[in-house]
Amino acid sequence: MSAWLDEVRWNEDGLIPAIAQEAATGQILMVAWMNREALALTAQEGHAVYWSRSRKKLWRKGEESGHRQKVLEIRLDCDEDVILLKVEQIGGIACHTGRHHCFFRVLRGGRWETVEPVLKSPESIYTA
């Protein structure tokens, strides 16, 4: 049943990068990491589960913010070392900064320029 997980080329830390792409628009929302358990749970539950390298634990996207990712499709690239999740982003915010996606800066004239607005302040998303 889990033979498909054996086809994934995990890195030396047992992880694989995962790209979350909004299915409806094609917008790349974010990049995170998955371990074997996170990928298996994502396939089983139908919502994105990642591995938090900083917290060293499983992280169900939206567990604190409510901004979950409903997974519509899981793809493996040709080298078997990158996962692509086609998702429906619940609440329209994928980034912890309160933006729609994490790629909100553009290199212009040798400087990073912020080009995407904050939709909701992180303080109001992550209340204690």
Side-chain angles (χ1 to χ4, degrees):
M1 183 85 177
S2 64
W4 62 274
L5 288 165
D6 296 333
E7 295 181 45
V8 174
R9 290 185 192 217
W10 308 97
N11 72 11
E12 58 278 355
D13 296 321
L15 301 174
I16 189 169
I19 301 165
Q21 179 183 40
E22 191 169 45
T25 66
Q27 174 79 53
I28 301 299
L29 299 175
M30 57 177 278
V31 176
W33 293 89
M34 293 180 143
N35 63 8
R36 187 179 180 101
E37 184 180 8
L39 182 54
L41 286 169
T42 296
Q44 178 184 332
E45 297 176 5
H47 286 88
V49 180
Y50 300 109
W51 175 257
S52 171
R53 293 178 300 164
S54 61
R55 293 177 273 182
K56 305 219 182 316
K57 68 175 193 166
L58 289 175
W59 157 46
R60 283 176 167 78
K61 177 69 177 155
E63 65 190 355
E64 293 178 29
S65 67
H67 301 135
R68 299 177 73 196
Q69 290 175 340
K70 181 179 179 184
V71 176
L72 306 178
E73 187 173 79
I74 301 173
R75 292 184 177 223
L76 180 63
D77 82 322
C78 58
D79 293 325
E80 302 168 336
D81 62 359
V82 177
I83 294 292
L84 174 65
L85 302 177
K86 295 200 173 207
V87 304
E88 176 188 332
Q89 181 63 55
I90 309 301
I93 295 174
C95 186
H96 73 280
T97 66
R99 292 176 173 87
H100 179 62
H101 57 85
C102 296
F103 298 95
F104 57 87
R105 290 182 277 192
V106 174
L107 185 61
R108 291 187 180 152
R111 299 178 63 171
W112 292 110
E113 184 179 324
T114 298
V115 296
E116 300 289 337
V118 172
L119 302 177
K120 192 171 183 182
S121 75
E123 294 79 21
S124 66
I125 294 172
Y126 303 102
T127 56

